[in-house]
Amino acid sequence: MADPIAASFRKPFAEQQAAFRLRLGNLIPTHAWDDIRHNAHDRGFMVAGAAKADLLADLGAAVDKAISEGTTLEEFRRDFRSIVAKHGWHGWTGEGTEAGEAWRTKVIYKTVDFHPELSRLGA
């Protein structure tokens, strides 16, 4: 019999999915990490350096998949590589080294941890 506690890990909750999908409705192209300031991050989805709408939409879909399906970081990295190749995205911070790609993909993937109620509570 499956462990009920272990089975509940990596499962999305409705509020997390809804909050993230609201952000996906407001894709914000950027050229650098500091193009967007303060609470503007709470209202849209952006990836530093992703300035093309179709690239940003595909990255957002990959993060949404991670939330809704509980995609692992390694699975997300495969999706990321595929998206980058599809769009010919070059010059992103971390490109060119294994450590740089690992760092960058983890930063984007950690968007999955977003939850506005927890951030307001300081959790």
Side-chain angles (χ1 to χ4, degrees), residues 20-81:
F20 183 72
R21 288 183 176 152
L22 281 174
R23 293 173 68 195
L24 282 180
N26 184 21
L27 299 176
I28 303 172
T30 61
H31 292 283
W33 68 271
D34 58 352
D35 285 354
I36 305 299
R37 302 268 181 174
H38 309 296
N39 65 354
H41 289 273
D42 297 342
R43 294 183 191 88
F45 178 76
M46 71 283 310
V47 172
K52 295 186 177 182
D54 55 347
L55 167 64
L56 194 53
D58 284 353
L59 291 170
V63 174
D64 187 53
K65 175 183 167 187
I67 292 170
S68 61
E69 297 178 15
T71 301
T72 66
L73 178 56
E74 281 309 311
E75 290 173 286
F76 176 78
R77 285 181 172 142
R78 284 192 294 274
D79 290 344
F80 176 85
R81 288 182 201 108

